[in-house]
Amino acid sequence: MNIVCLLVLVVLFNGRGMNSSTRSDSVNIGALFSFNDTTVAKAIRVALVAAAEDVNSDPSILGKTKLRISLQEDSKYRGFLSIAETLQLMEKDTVAIIGPQTSTTAHVISHIANELQVPILSFSATDPTLSSLEFPFFIRTAHNDIFQMEAIAELVDYYGWRKVIAIYVDDDQGRNGIAALGDKLAERRCKISCKAPMSPEASREDITDVLVKVALTESRIIVLHTNTLSGPRVFNAAHYLGMLGTGYVWIATNSLSALIDTDSPLPSDAMDNIQGVLTLRMYTPDSEPKRKFVSRWSNLAKGQTNDFGGPLGLSAFGLYAYDTVWLLAHALDTFFNQGNEITFSKDSRLSNLHGGSLHLDAVNIFDQGNLLCRCILGVNMTGLTGPIKYTSDGNLANPAYEVLNVVGTGVRRIGYWSNYSGLSVLPPETLYKNPPNRSSENQKLGPVIWPGETTQKPRGWVFSNNGGQLKIGVPKRVGYQEFVSEVEGTDIFNGYCIDVFISALNLLQYAVPFKFIPFGDGHESQSSGTELVRLVTTGVFDAAVGDITITTERTRMADFTQPYIESGLVVVAPVRKMDSNAWAFLRPFTARMWCITTLFFLLVGAVVWVLEHRLNDDFRGPPRKQVVTILWFSFSTMFFSHKEKTVSTLGRLVLIIWLFLVLIITTSYTASLSSILTVQKLSSPIKGIQDLISSKEPIGYQQGSFARNYLIEELGIDESRLVPLRMAGDTAKALKDGPHKKGGVAAYVDERTYVEIFLSSRCEFTIVGREFAKNGWGFAFPRDSPLAIDMSTAILKLSENGELQRIHDKWLLSTACTAPGAKLEVDRLDFKSFLGLYLLCGIACLLALALYIIIMVRQYIRHFSDETVSSGQSSRSAHFRSFLSFINEKEEVVEHRSKRRHIEMASTEMIQATSPIKDIVNYLHIEA
């Protein structure tokens, strides 16, 4: 077909001749449809003829120019014949073609339209790829399928499904529409799990074969994207196979709603085939022109019947067909109003092709095709389908669909979808007034009656083995049988993990047949969890249940449920008893803490002595007495038994802060010492994982545990240091032997859940340091398994209702080691724990000393500067010695001396002031 098309196009590429025509009384347009094959096409024919008559009867649109529409029969979608039919239309100087009916034909004739520059307007060829730049003369007058597929993707996401099956006709429209659906589903983390294409000419046997393959898959969400001919045949075969019963979900594209609208009422057997199906219909808002046209329809379609002999109904395609003619009329009106004329060019080389029946020399090229395309895309009108306006990408603005549910003898609208606000129970035009809101809370639909006449939303999947028992892999272990153990001589398993799994299954709303299959040779302490998960991905097992830790490596292979128990790696080390001795009272503080505390005692005592020395007699006296006073005052504050009173403001401030610090230190010391002397009796040279990393001593781990890879890959511990241990007894012996004996270890690394059981009866070992590499245990399922999601929800319910804790207490709650001295020595108190208080006290001392020195300097300058100058002692050393002497004197002595010096200075000034007066009096007396 493509080769023939290209040959025809090569012929059309030849030289041109000119044949002009001025604006005449009529304009030729063509319509290419299979008008007699389906009832939808019959309705389209009626709508096109009615639209042309309405345009011609309205002088306000084209004036005296009339539309002459040529209805060309499209021969059952065959591409080659479509080329010939298109060329026949072009022999009539056609300025535009309405159609074709299918996207396959549209792809073929769009190449011809590109050469002949004739616009193609189609409302039924909705293949998204037709909007590409390759076809500039193809204009879609209905909504692109990409929006319909987005609506279906939002439906799937709204109901919480994650996988769908796509059944479609394997043509351009089917393939490209499903490709768009896959893209839209991926945006919502959903996907097409199975594509089921069928031939456009598929027989009932072919359709049945496709549906049988679909029935054997896991998903039960089926999206049907076919035409009005093959769609009913698919539903008929699906109903026969029982695929329209409870548990199935069918979502059909708008071809089904068009069929129901035009053939309504469908026969009862046809309606039975589609009960509970969801379908979409292109949304056309209610309006007065639409109501008038609907009321006229019975007269317009008079004499026309559907496939079942009933009256011909009106579908959305009929409304869009009517509006397409009016859209073209408005564009032509604009075209003529701009002063353009319709002219055609003839290819001169086509005239040389004589003979045959193709008459290629009669085909003309529309010179103003580009201008008319621009006029069409620039139309802004309101038709039966609502406002018609094109966006910059060539699509109609505001795409919207009705979501319909087939119930009884008709359909029931459950909501709407619009590109503006998504799913809603309100008509789209009411939402355009508000800002767009695509939040999940705003997405709403009405109740649905699903296949099988149930209102309960189907879960959307079944087991891939079509009802057979699930093969559940369970590790066959020797030690720690509290988690998983096989009853000897049977295929029954029990344990903590098994009880959690079965309890979660019991909460599901559907039955899950399963069978436990042991994994491992029964000799190792723990089979490799990673290998068990890998077998799930290869299909050996349908799931894995047991003490399986969720790690990064394993999550890359399979999906895990919500963790049902939290765990993490810990370090276990042997401990020794710490007996009290004569120096036990020093253990609460580290050596650094003792040194800094002692230093601060002396520092605070010295600062208080400086601040109180000039004012307080308790802090004065001979040097030896003052040193003793400082020491006594400093250490007596530890017991709040100091007798010396502070009188200076700065001294009291420093003392208050220091006493608060002393209170904290003494209470902390008392608590720590009490704990050391009464409870803490054990110690270990290993304090945590960091000690193991920095040392070179051997480390034990449980054989088969993920701890081995973690220690090597994440912590960088050399593999030669790691010692695998099979049983709990082996672990205890290795820890007792220690690192200096063959097979012994300095410490043991394992998950806390195992360790708690191990330590419950072994008081000579304990956990040191903090838990690291935190993770949890979960059940493994194949990638994208919906059962993993349902099981996660069930585990959360077990946690909320307390059942998970009950199972834990049943299997794992054992008496911990409670022998005297079972706890490890706590860390000693270090300086960093009190750094803030020490820093505050130090700052207070420095500020107090700084203020004190400033005050002393000011007093010294005010009281003794004149005395120093008069004595001739102006050197720096003299000033410094004088200053030290000044601050060593008592405050009262300094003030007394200062007052006496002021009195003497005042007397001297009075004597000096009276001497001249006496001299004058004596002189006057002599003269007299």
Side-chain angles (χ1 to χ4, degrees):
M1 181 185 69
N2 291 335
I3 295 176
V4 176
C5 177
L6 292 174
L7 290 174
V8 175
L9 294 177
V10 170
V11 175
L12 295 177
F13 274 137
N14 294 320
R16 300 177 179 180
M18 292 297 297
N19 180 23
S20 304
S21 66
T22 60
R23 179 171 181 173
S24 61
D25 293 338
S26 63
V27 177
N28 294 330
I29 61 175
L32 189 62
F33 278 91
S34 298
F35 293 114
N36 297 318
D37 284 343
T38 65
T39 55
V40 175
K42 291 178 183 179
I44 288 172
R45 179 189 185 107
V46 174
L48 291 175
V49 173
E53 292 176 354
D54 291 346
V55 169
N56 291 332
S57 63
D58 189 349
S60 65
I61 182 64
L62 282 174
K64 297 181 180 180
T65 302
K66 304 298 181 183
L67 291 180
R68 294 176 56 189
I69 183 168
S70 298
L71 304 178
Q72 184 73 37
E73 182 71 22
D74 184 6
S75 302
K76 296 184 179 180
Y77 322 121
R78 294 179 181 176
F80 174 71
L81 294 180
S82 298
I83 296 173
E85 292 157 357
T86 304
L87 295 176
Q88 289 178 356
L89 286 175
M90 297 310 300
E91 291 177 356
K92 305 174 183 178
D93 291 342
T94 300
V95 299
I97 296 176
I98 299 176
Q101 187 167 342
T102 67
S103 296
T104 300
T105 305
H107 275 280
V108 174
I109 68 173
S110 289
H111 292 285
I112 300 176
N114 289 347
E115 296 304 321
L116 302 182
Q117 300 182 19
V118 176
I120 296 178
L121 292 82
S122 180
F123 47 84
S124 57
T126 51
D127 174 7
T129 62
L130 287 169
S131 298
S132 65
L133 298 176
E134 183 183 8
F135 307 119
F137 288 91
F138 179 85
I139 300 174
R140 187 180 283 107
T141 59
H143 296 309
N144 192 328
D145 260 352
I146 198 167
F147 300 112
Q148 180 173 209
M149 297 308 170
E150 184 175 2
I152 293 176
E154 291 204 21
L155 273 173
V156 172
D157 185 53
Y158 173 79
Y159 288 111
W161 300 312
R162 287 294 172 262
K163 292 181 181 180
V164 304
I165 297 173
I167 301 177
Y168 59 96
V169 174
D170 196 9
D171 57 12
D172 289 329
Q173 182 153 338
R175 286 190 302 272
N176 297 327
I178 294 302
L181 174 62
D183 294 340
K184 295 301 180 181
L185 286 171
E187 292 175 3
R188 293 155 180 82
R189 301 185 68 182
C190 306
K191 71 174 186 177
I192 299 175
S193 61
C194 175
K195 292 183 179 181
M198 56 187 183
S199 168
E201 309 295 335
S203 63
R204 180 179 175 86
E205 290 74 16
D206 297 332
I207 295 174
T208 301
D209 291 341
V210 170
L211 292 178
V212 168
K213 293 178 182 178
V214 168
L216 295 176
T217 60
E218 182 180 80
S219 177
R220 286 294 180 262
I221 312 301
I222 301 174
V223 175
L224 181 65
H225 185 42
T226 59
N227 51 50
T228 55
L229 288 177
S230 56
R233 296 202 295 267
V234 172
F235 281 116
N236 183 270
H239 186 267
Y240 175 78
L241 295 173
M243 296 177 64
L244 279 153
T246 304
Y248 280 90
V249 175
W250 286 79
I251 304 175
T253 51
N254 57 2
S255 61
L256 177 61
S257 63
L259 182 68
I260 294 174
D261 290 338
T262 53
D263 285 350
S264 182
L266 291 173
S268 59
D269 56 344
M271 288 301 299
D272 290 341
N273 293 339
I274 56 176
Q275 288 297 304
V277 174
L278 296 181
T279 184
L280 299 179
R281 176 198 287 156
M282 288 184 287
Y283 175 67
T284 56
D286 191 23
S287 63
E288 185 62 26
K290 177 182 174 181
R291 287 193 292 270
K292 290 182 178 179
F293 185 78
V294 171
S295 65
R296 291 173 53 199
W297 182 254
S298 58
N299 292 328
L300 294 173
K302 190 174 183 179
Q304 299 283 346
T305 59
N306 59 35
D307 292 339
F308 305 103
L312 186 65
L314 175 63
S315 68
F317 284 109
L319 298 176
Y320 277 96
Y322 184 89
D323 279 353
T324 299
V325 176
W326 276 91
L327 171 66
L328 182 57
H330 279 279
L332 286 169
D333 191 46
T334 303
F335 175 85
F336 290 133
N337 290 337
Q338 292 175 352
N340 299 309
E341 295 183 354
I342 295 177
T343 61
F344 291 88
S345 299
K346 189 178 292 294
D347 193 323
S348 60
R349 286 177 292 182
L350 289 178
S351 303
N352 298 326
L353 297 175
H354 298 290
S357 59
L358 290 178
H359 302 293
L360 296 179
D361 55 340
V363 176
N364 298 321
I365 299 174
F366 182 23
D367 295 330
Q368 290 77 31
N370 282 307
L371 290 175
L372 182 57
C373 278
R374 287 196 290 270
C375 291
I376 293 172
L377 295 175
V379 169
N380 188 356
M381 58 172 277
T382 300
L384 301 183
T385 59
I388 299 175
K389 183 180 180 180
Y390 283 94
T391 59
S392 59
D393 58 0
N395 289 311
L396 288 175
N398 298 324
Y401 291 86
E402 294 177 82
V403 183
L404 307 176
N405 181 204
V406 181
V407 180
T409 58
V411 295
R412 182 173 60 90
R413 183 173 58 225
I414 63 171
Y416 306 87
W417 177 90
S418 70
N419 194 42
Y420 187 76
S421 294
L423 300 172
S424 172
V425 293
L426 300 176
E429 63 269 16
T430 62
L431 301 175
Y432 297 148
K433 304 173 185 177
N434 304 318
N437 186 351
R438 302 297 288 267
S439 64
S440 58
E441 295 79 8
N442 198 54
Q443 305 300 296
K444 296 179 181 178
L445 287 175
V448 178
I449 298 179
W450 303 99
E453 297 184 359
T454 176
T455 57
Q456 183 177 358
K457 184 196 76 171
R459 73 173 186 265
W461 63 275
V462 294
F463 304 115
S464 57
N465 53 1
N466 199 27
Q469 289 184 326
L470 290 182
K471 296 174 292 183
I472 308 295
V474 180
K476 189 175 183 181
R477 36 180 327 131
V478 178
Y480 299 112
Q481 295 192 1
E482 295 89 346
F483 301 106
V484 176
S485 64
E486 184 179 16
V487 179
E488 189 173 354
T490 69
D491 57 356
I492 300 174
F493 283 81
N494 56 25
Y496 170 72
C497 302
I498 302 299
D499 278 10
V500 172
F501 178 75
I502 294 176
S503 297
L505 284 183
N506 292 336
L507 290 179
L508 301 182
Q509 298 179 354
Y510 48 89
V512 180
F514 67 91
K515 179 181 181 181
F516 289 132
I517 300 176
F519 169 71
D521 56 10
H523 299 293
E524 300 296 335
S525 175
Q526 177 179 337
S527 303
S528 173
T530 302
E531 178 62 18
L532 178 57
V533 173
R534 190 191 66 81
L535 293 177
V536 172
T537 65
T538 59
V540 175
F541 298 122
D542 296 312
V545 172
D547 46 339
I548 304 172
T549 305
I550 303 173
T551 64
T552 303
E553 179 185 6
R554 296 170 185 175
T555 54
R556 293 193 183 105
M557 296 188 291
D559 283 350
F560 282 84
T561 62
Q562 170 82 12
Y564 57 87
I565 188 171
E566 297 296 332
S567 188
L569 295 179
V570 293
V571 178
V572 178
V575 293
R576 57 185 178 85
K577 288 188 177 182
M578 292 290 294
D579 297 327
S580 299
N581 54 46
W583 302 99
F585 68 91
L586 294 177
R587 285 168 54 191
F589 288 164
T590 61
R592 184 173 66 167
M593 179 65 179
W594 280 117
C595 293
I596 294 176
T597 302
T598 303
L599 180 62
F600 260 82
F601 270 106
L602 297 175
L603 174 64
V604 172
V607 170
V608 173
W609 177 84
V610 170
L611 298 177
E612 295 289 324
H613 180 65
R614 301 183 74 244
L615 301 174
N616 195 337
D617 290 335
D618 291 338
F619 292 88
R620 296 187 65 81
R624 179 180 298 178
K625 178 184 176 183
Q626 294 183 46
V627 171
V628 172
T629 300
I630 291 173
L631 295 175
W632 166 255
F633 178 82
S634 299
F635 291 103
S636 63
T637 55
M638 180 185 298
F639 311 103
F640 303 95
S641 61
H642 52 284
K643 298 179 179 180
E644 295 80 8
K645 296 181 179 180
T646 53
V647 296
S648 67
T649 303
L650 293 177
R652 290 174 176 175
L653 176 64
V654 171
L655 188 60
I656 288 174
I657 296 175
W658 171 245
L659 290 177
F660 178 71
L661 174 60
V662 169
L663 176 65
I664 299 299
I665 292 174
T666 54
T667 53
S668 301
Y669 174 85
T670 303
S672 181
L673 182 60
S674 300
S675 179
I676 289 173
L677 296 178
T678 58
V679 178
Q680 301 190 21
K681 302 295 184 179
L682 303 179
S683 68
S684 171
I686 297 173
K687 303 300 181 183
I689 187 63
Q690 293 300 325
D691 290 346
L692 292 180
I693 295 174
S694 59
S695 71
K696 294 184 179 180
E697 295 180 340
I699 305 171
Y701 69 93
Q702 184 180 176
Q703 191 173 40
S705 170
F706 83 100
R708 178 182 182 278
N709 290 338
Y710 184 87
L711 293 173
I712 297 173
E713 299 173 3
E714 301 296 332
L715 301 183
I717 295 176
D718 191 85
E719 184 179 358
S720 61
R721 295 176 54 196
L722 301 181
V723 178
L725 301 170
R726 295 176 60 248
M727 304 288 291
D730 298 336
T731 302
K733 183 178 182 303
L735 287 171
K736 288 179 181 179
D737 291 343
H740 304 297
K741 291 185 179 181
K742 185 177 181 180
V745 295
Y748 173 71
V749 176
D750 203 353
E751 295 182 66
R752 176 178 286 275
T753 311
Y754 299 119
V755 169
E756 288 176 350
I757 296 178
F758 174 77
L759 296 178
S760 62
S761 59
R762 295 174 176 87
C763 301
E764 65 273 26
F765 310 112
T766 190
I767 296 174
V768 294
R770 297 184 177 180
E771 184 177 358
F772 61 100
K774 292 185 177 181
N775 43 45
W777 293 357
F779 305 131
F781 291 89
R783 279 288 189 192
D784 300 320
S785 171
L787 185 56
I789 300 175
D790 291 349
M791 286 293 288
S792 293
T793 304
I795 290 172
L796 289 175
K797 290 180 180 178
L798 289 177
S799 177
E800 292 171 356
N801 62 24
E803 181 66 13
L804 197 60
Q805 184 62 43
R806 189 195 65 79
I807 299 174
H808 178 277
D809 295 344
K810 172 186 174 182
W811 289 99
L812 306 181
L813 187 62
S814 57
T815 304
C817 183
T818 57
K823 294 186 178 179
L824 189 68
E825 179 187 16
V826 297
D827 293 336
R828 302 167 72 187
L829 298 175
D830 196 4
F831 171 69
K832 63 182 180 181
S833 302
F834 307 94
L835 179 60
L837 287 173
Y838 278 108
L839 186 61
L840 178 63
C841 184
I843 292 174
C845 291
L846 291 177
L847 289 178
L849 285 177
L851 290 174
Y852 178 76
I853 292 173
I854 292 173
I855 294 172
M856 289 299 100
V857 169
R858 290 184 61 187
Q859 288 183 4
Y860 173 74
I861 292 174
R862 185 170 63 251
H863 295 290
F864 286 90
S865 59
D866 293 341
E867 181 180 320
T868 304
V869 172
S870 63
S871 64
Q873 298 177 348
S874 59
S875 64
R876 291 184 179 179
S877 60
H879 276 295
F880 183 70
R881 287 193 299 272
S882 178
F883 177 71
L884 291 179
S885 177
F886 169 74
I887 63 174
N888 189 46
E889 291 182 317
K890 195 173 182 181
E891 182 81 16
E892 296 176 357
V893 175
V894 173
E895 291 180 356
H896 177 71
R897 187 171 62 246
S898 177
K899 290 180 181 180
R900 187 178 62 186
R901 186 164 56 85
H902 279 294
I903 293 173
E904 291 176 353
M905 289 177 63
S907 300
T908 304
E909 289 175 359
M910 289 181 61
I911 293 172
Q912 290 176 355
T914 56
S915 293
I917 297 176
K918 290 182 179 180
D919 291 341
I920 293 173
V921 171
N922 292 333
Y923 175 76
L924 292 176
H925 180 72
I926 294 172
E927 289 295 326

